Amino acid sequence: MTTKAATLADDLVRQFERSIAAGDMPPGSRFPTEKSITDSAGVSRTVVREAFARLAARGLLVSKQGSGAYVAQAARYQAFQVTPEEMGDVDDVLKLLEMRMALEAEMADLAARRRTDADVAEMRLCNDRMRDSGDIDEAVTADMAFHRAIAAATRNDYYLRFMDFLGVRLVPPRRLYLRDRAETEHRAYARGIYRDHDAILIAIEAGNPTRARAAARRHMQKSLDRHRDLRGNGAAE
């Protein structure tokens, strides 16, 4: 359960992240004191300390004993992040899926142009493992491996690295959708994913970028539609 203090800390973290990203708090500049933040933001010192701890964990804040907290020198170069905590909310899952739609479509296009027989064999192996698995964790792992195999087939290391980053963040959407559902629904869901993957795979194997792109986009659109239904039904509350 998310506490009020945790939510307030989230708000404070986002506020400082925006200030740092906008250049209002450049590297080396000093953070406001705990007291000034508690007075201006109307939050407790506990909330401020939690926010500072999160900023430090993200490499945005460094503490100097007896001096205070400062914006890290490398703060402006921080990598894009999607925290696992964000993926428990349907609205945030939808945002990630919208981003993935563009990514997956482009990857499938490039994979269709550049794939090798070994790439195709790896995609097929991953998809078959997902279809045959009776365990949700194993199925999720195989699902992620399928998308990673597509990324590898693009011959662009940046796609592969980004998919490795996103990998663990593909799990919460599936768990969010399938929670409290019967085993038969789990199996039906897996069969649908398998068919979607197979359509992408067939297009990539045929070397047809247009079909591959369209199949990947359809796959992601279905996922978006499922999670929008969750929001409409209030299942995320």
Side-chain angles (χ1 to χ4, degrees):
M1 180 181 294
T2 302
T3 65
K4 181 179 179 181
T7 300
L8 291 171
D10 287 338
D11 292 340
L12 207 52
V13 167
R14 283 191 285 268
Q15 176 185 320
F16 281 122
E17 284 180 331
R18 284 194 294 267
S19 295
I20 292 169
D24 297 331
M25 293 178 63
S29 62
R30 193 175 188 275
F31 276 85
T33 63
E34 286 185 8
K35 185 177 186 310
S36 66
I37 297 173
T38 59
D39 291 343
S40 63
V43 297
S44 68
R45 286 184 179 246
T46 298
V47 168
V48 177
R49 288 167 186 167
E50 171 65 18
F52 276 16
R54 294 187 195 181
L55 289 164
R58 297 180 189 185
L60 298 174
L61 177 152
V62 292
S63 295
K64 297 181 182 179
Q65 191 169 3
S67 178
Y70 293 82
V71 179
Q73 290 297 328
R76 69 179 64 179
Y77 305 113
Q78 288 301 304
F80 167 80
Q81 293 187 57
V82 178
T83 63
E85 291 81 6
E86 291 176 292
M87 292 297 98
D89 182 86
V90 172
D91 284 336
D92 287 312
V93 170
L94 289 173
K95 292 174 187 176
L96 181 61
L97 290 173
E98 286 175 348
M99 183 185 72
R100 280 191 58 208
M101 182 182 291
L103 181 74
E104 297 281 356
E106 187 64 26
M107 285 198 315
D109 181 300
L110 290 174
R113 300 172 192 272
R114 302 171 181 174
R115 94 287 180 275
T116 65
D117 290 344
D119 291 323
V120 172
E122 179 65 17
M123 291 175 214
R124 183 169 288 111
L125 176 64
C126 294
N127 203 30
D128 287 348
R129 282 177 177 168
M130 191 206 68
R131 176 197 59 194
D132 298 336
S133 176
D135 178 83
I136 188 170
D137 290 326
E138 291 177 0
V140 164
T141 298
D143 189 345
M144 292 189 295
F146 176 83
H147 290 277
R148 191 181 187 281
I150 294 175
T154 68
R155 297 294 175 269
N156 183 327
D157 290 343
Y158 291 117
Y159 277 116
L160 190 57
R161 286 165 58 184
F162 193 58
M163 289 306 293
D164 283 342
F165 163 76
L166 282 180
V168 294
R169 290 153 182 85
L170 304 184
V171 179
R174 177 176 287 206
R175 292 195 180 284
L176 189 64
Y177 179 72
L178 290 176
R179 67 184 179 188
D180 302 324
R181 292 176 182 262
E183 181 62 29
T184 53
E185 292 186 77
H186 284 245
R187 293 196 197 98
Y189 179 92
R191 285 195 298 271
I193 299 297
Y194 173 83
R195 288 192 293 269
D196 284 355
H197 284 185
D198 197 45
I200 299 169
L201 171 57
I202 289 171
I204 290 174
E205 184 175 23
N208 190 319
T210 301
R211 281 174 50 201
R213 177 185 286 272
R217 187 173 180 83
R218 279 196 304 272
H219 176 46
M220 295 309 304
Q221 185 63 57
K222 288 180 183 178
S223 188
L224 264 170
D225 291 343
R226 282 192 295 269
H227 288 85
R228 282 179 180 141
D229 288 343
L230 274 183
R231 183 176 59 182
N233 294 332
E237 296 177 358

